[in-house]
């Protein structure tokens, strides 16, 4: 596996998804109000994964930003589909929008930090 292999994108997305999703999925329904439910170590996982993927030169800025940012709304969507609540909440578009904004902000921070590391490296992506 080379650093340009897309398998790193899949691994990074799954790590970010589990990192942000696991605390959110385990929380009781009364504690899952967004955006507060996503704050914490899960959000730090998004930042770290985005930083690592970008710093190691696995891809360009925008695709990595969007890939890692998609982990937060995916975690919320999985909770809605498989969760213990009865069906989808009435405000599901609002919840997905909030999770997308939080994911984008965390991913942007990590991707920017990773880009700074990449500037000092010889591993720039093609």
């Amino acid at each position: 596996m080379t650093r340009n292999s897309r398998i790193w994108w899949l691994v990074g997305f799954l790590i970010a998804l589990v990192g942000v999703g696991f605390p959110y999925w385990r929380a009781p329904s009364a504690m899952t109000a967004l955006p507060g439910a996503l704050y914490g170590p899960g959000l730090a996982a998004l930042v770290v994964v985005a930083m690592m993927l970008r710093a190691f030169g696995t891809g360009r800025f925008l695709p990595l930003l969007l890939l890692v940012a998609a982990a937060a709304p995916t975690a919320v969507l999985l909770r809605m589909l498989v969760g213990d609540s009865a069906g989808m909440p009435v405000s599901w578009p609002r919840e997905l929008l909030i999770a997308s904004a939080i994911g984008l902000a965390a991913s942007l921070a990590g991707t920017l930090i990773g880009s700074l590391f990449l500037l000092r490296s010889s591993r720039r992506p093609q």
Side-chain angles (χ1 to χ4, degrees):
M1 237 180 351
T2 65
R3 68 180 166 86
N4 293 333
S5 176
R6 294 289 186 230
I7 193 74
W8 292 116
W9 288 24
L10 176 64
V11 169
F13 177 77
L14 291 177
I15 290 171
L17 177 64
V18 170
V20 75
F22 191 71
Y24 181 67
W25 297 328
R26 291 182 44 101
S29 294
M31 305 278 298
T32 59
L34 295 178
L38 292 181
Y39 293 152
L43 210 53
L46 286 180
V47 173
V48 169
V49 168
M51 179 187 68
M52 298 298 281
L53 285 175
R54 183 65 179 149
F56 287 128
T58 61
R60 312 285 277 155
F61 184 88
L62 188 60
L64 289 178
L65 171 74
L66 297 176
L67 174 81
V68 177
T74 303
V76 171
L77 186 63
L78 285 173
R79 169 122 185 175
M80 285 182 204
L81 295 176
V82 185
D84 57 351
S85 62
M88 301 279 257
V90 176
S91 62
W92 66 268
R94 180 181 158 273
E95 290 191 9
L96 288 178
L97 186 66
I98 291 171
S100 298
I102 290 173
L104 266 173
S107 181
L108 179 64
T111 309
L112 285 173
I113 294 169
S115 292
L116 292 175
F117 287 129
L118 188 62
L119 282 175
R120 304 296 300 167
S121 170
S122 62
R123 297 178 165 216
R124 297 196 180 197
Q126 286 94 11

